[in-house]
Amino acid sequence: METVTIATPFFNEEESLNNFFYTLEKINLSISKKIKIKYLFIDDGSTDKTKKKIFEFKDNNPNINIKIHCHDKNYGYGRTIKNSIKLCDTKYLLTYDSDCTYDFEHIETLIDKIINEKHDIINVSYKLSNNKMQLNLFRRILSWGGSLLYKFIFPEVKNYNIKVFTCSFRIYEHAKIKDINLFSDDYNSTAELMIKSMKHKLKIIEIPGENVGR
């Protein structure tokens, strides 16, 4: 049976945790019979009751394989990505945020495709979804400009038909990315990891996924 770590970062998510825990239970019920799942919770220095609640959930669910790693302060999203890669000990690493803005059912698709089609990274793209994410004009310009800038600065990007560089909902073959050095501690780490993976000529595809918001 193949193994996957589902890594989730947390920072002051107390109010949305009940929904995340409910979603995690559905994920575990639908997928755990097909693949061995480990869950990695990374608390990025929360100042509310987030850390307390994720430890309580772990204690109350001994049947779910959960590992918790806590930062001593808020470092930023990029640090959680770097530690997800560092702490992963399974063949595949899947990153899924606690706000559940993407339907968890995409997780099964990601796992099936990376195993059966032998990709190195599969990215989820709201731009490919039939139900387009509603962005204001500023965010549309920022998203379009960012993708264009990456193609202009990094020639490797032109070899890939990737629409979204900053989505954190992805699955990786862990061995292919574990030695990639990331410098960003903020949300730019998602784009940095994608671009450096392209420089390493990894096999990367995108699948559509609707972003429904928090």
Side-chain angles (χ1 to χ4, degrees):
M1 185 178 289
E2 298 285 11
T3 58
V4 61
T5 293
I6 299 179
T8 300
F10 301 88
F11 177 66
N12 290 349
E13 297 288 349
E14 178 184 354
E15 294 182 0
S16 63
L17 281 179
N18 287 340
N19 179 61
F20 171 74
F21 293 150
Y22 175 69
T23 301
L24 186 149
E25 289 171 344
K26 291 194 291 185
I27 293 169
N28 202 61
L29 183 64
S30 64
I31 301 174
S32 61
K33 293 179 181 179
K34 302 177 181 180
I35 191 165
K36 184 177 180 181
I37 303 177
K38 294 184 178 182
Y39 298 91
L40 174 61
F41 294 171
I42 299 185
D43 180 73
D44 190 29
S46 294
T47 56
D48 62 1
K49 295 181 181 179
T50 295
K51 184 163 68 172
K52 178 176 181 291
K53 292 186 73 171
I54 61 176
F55 272 101
E56 287 177 348
F57 181 80
K58 172 181 167 64
D59 291 341
N60 292 332
N61 294 273
N63 59 310
I64 302 178
N65 189 338
I66 300 171
K67 180 177 181 178
I68 299 176
H69 178 79
C70 297
H71 293 166
D72 57 356
K73 64 178 182 179
N74 179 234
Y75 288 99
Y77 193 87
R79 184 68 66 93
T80 69
I81 294 293
K82 285 185 272 190
N83 278 330
S84 294
I85 296 170
K86 180 180 178 181
L87 296 170
C88 177
D89 60 359
T90 55
K91 183 171 183 178
Y92 301 105
L93 170 65
L94 189 150
T95 50
Y96 185 67
D97 286 350
S98 63
D99 53 16
C100 305
T101 54
Y102 288 92
D103 193 329
F104 77 90
E105 291 184 356
H106 292 307
I107 292 176
E108 188 168 359
T109 302
L110 289 170
I111 292 172
D112 287 342
K113 288 184 78 67
I114 202 166
I115 292 174
N116 296 320
E117 298 179 13
K118 308 301 181 184
H119 302 293
D120 298 322
I121 300 175
I122 304 178
N123 193 49
V124 177
S125 173
Y126 67 86
K127 292 184 178 180
L128 298 179
S129 173
N130 291 328
N131 298 316
K132 302 297 184 183
M133 182 181 180
Q134 298 301 311
L135 298 175
N136 59 40
L137 179 61
F138 175 75
R139 289 192 65 187
R140 288 202 300 270
I141 293 173
L142 195 64
S143 176
W144 175 81
S147 298
L148 187 64
L149 184 63
Y150 295 144
K151 290 181 180 180
F152 180 75
I153 297 176
F154 306 105
E156 298 85 0
V157 173
K158 297 176 183 177
N159 299 323
Y160 293 86
N161 187 26
I162 300 297
K163 304 294 184 183
V164 177
F165 286 78
T166 57
C167 179
S168 59
F169 188 19
R170 296 176 186 160
I171 191 167
Y172 308 86
E173 184 173 343
H174 182 245
K176 299 295 181 65
I177 63 162
K178 66 183 181 68
D179 294 323
I180 294 178
N181 290 322
L182 298 176
F183 297 101
S184 302
D185 266 345
D186 57 19
Y187 212 84
N188 289 318
S189 62
T190 54
E192 181 186 359
L193 181 52
M194 179 64 79
I195 292 167
K196 287 184 174 178
S197 296
M198 291 174 174
K199 286 180 176 289
H200 283 75
K201 298 181 179 180
L202 299 189
K203 298 176 183 177
I204 306 169
I205 65 164
E206 279 185 326
I207 65 169
E210 180 186 2
N211 187 318
V212 297
R214 293 178 68 93

